[in-house]
Amino acid sequence: SGMASFLKRTLGPLRTFSTSPIVRLRGPLTFDGWYPRDHKPGPYPENEEERRRAAIKYGLRPEDYKPMDKDDIVRYAGDYPDLGVVTYDHKDPYESWTDRMHRRNWGEMVGMDMMNYRGDRLTFTGLESEDFTFWASVKMCLRVLVPMVLLSYYFSRDDPNALRWKNPAMPKQYPYDFARAFPFDDPRKFPIVNYSFDVEGKGHGHH
């Protein structure tokens, strides 16, 4: 029928793409029985059987598996393993890593704090830097703090000739007290007398 031929024309290329070699080489997504939900942390293991099952799920030996502490409200994540601190510098630079830039192997477990210990970090403590000295760090702080103090003083002093973000101005004068008349009264009931002096400088006040 016409509908069948239409679907064949439209869905045919999609079927070809889904079975193409490019999509078949997507890695673990093509493994039988592999689903993303299988890698989500499960409940905290309560017995030895659950511990072994969780260790196998995360690709660890049962004797190496240790879940996050349940009392740690910040890091607790069900049965997700606590892998400790393994930084880039802990790993052998001569190992044949799958990912040489980050010294990681394919399928290697991802620690919870892995982003803090990647290879693009120049230092992990700041203290092993060869040119680190106490006074150099003090000088670096003063290079920021001293200009801040000077600028704060310069912009906030009481001198009327000091540089301001905007020129000082007196409050705007209004002929009626609009705030007093708000919301429903007539502001003309509440006139405001604003004194000034005439142009000739006679000194007579008028309004």
Side-chain angles (χ1 to χ4, degrees):
S1 63
M3 179 59 71
S5 61
F6 171 76
L7 292 176
K8 186 175 182 181
R9 289 198 310 271
T10 55
L11 299 180
L14 294 178
R15 288 187 57 193
T16 304
F17 176 76
S18 64
T19 57
S20 65
I22 298 176
V23 178
R24 285 202 301 269
L25 295 176
R26 289 180 300 172
L29 287 176
T30 61
F31 291 173
D32 292 337
W34 192 99
Y35 295 97
R37 65 170 180 266
D38 296 335
H39 282 231
K40 293 175 63 177
Y44 188 85
E46 300 293 346
N47 52 49
E48 191 61 29
E49 178 60 30
E50 293 180 356
R51 286 174 51 84
R52 291 182 61 85
R53 190 181 301 120
I56 293 173
K57 180 175 79 169
Y58 291 113
L60 300 173
R61 297 185 303 178
E63 56 267 26
D64 293 337
Y65 172 75
K66 183 182 75 169
M68 295 287 181
D69 187 4
K70 290 182 79 171
D71 296 330
D72 191 342
I73 60 174
V74 176
R75 300 170 57 82
Y76 172 65
D79 64 354
Y80 202 78
D82 183 3
L83 301 177
V85 177
V86 181
T87 69
Y88 176 84
D89 287 343
H90 282 105
K91 298 185 176 182
D92 186 1
Y94 302 106
E95 178 71 31
S96 180
W97 302 102
T98 307
D99 180 3
R100 292 180 181 274
M101 178 175 289
H102 298 98
R103 295 181 186 170
R104 281 181 50 79
N105 286 323
W106 190 90
E108 183 178 338
M109 190 63 205
V110 178
M112 183 170 284
D113 297 324
M114 176 189 164
M115 297 296 286
N116 296 337
Y117 307 115
R118 296 175 301 176
D120 57 356
R121 295 298 179 95
L122 297 178
T123 172
F124 297 110
T125 64
L127 299 178
E128 66 264 21
S129 179
E130 295 180 358
D131 58 350
F132 174 83
T133 61
F134 173 76
W135 288 111
S137 61
V138 170
K139 183 174 71 174
M140 185 177 296
C141 292
L142 292 179
R143 284 167 60 183
V144 177
L145 296 177
V146 170
M148 287 176 59
V149 171
L150 293 178
L151 288 173
S152 301
Y153 164 75
Y154 187 74
F155 282 110
S156 60
R157 59 200 176 114
D158 294 332
D159 186 354
N161 294 321
L163 183 63
R164 301 293 184 201
W165 295 116
K166 62 180 181 179
N167 293 327
M170 294 293 289
K172 186 174 177 61
Q173 296 179 345
Y174 292 96
Y176 306 107
D177 193 346
F178 293 96
R180 184 178 175 187
F182 183 84
F184 301 118
D185 214 341
D186 187 357
R188 287 173 294 185
K189 294 181 182 179
F190 312 105
I192 298 177
V193 179
N194 297 306
Y195 289 96
S196 62
F197 296 92
D198 55 18
V199 179
E200 298 178 0
K202 295 179 180 179
H204 299 292
H206 68 278
H207 63 277

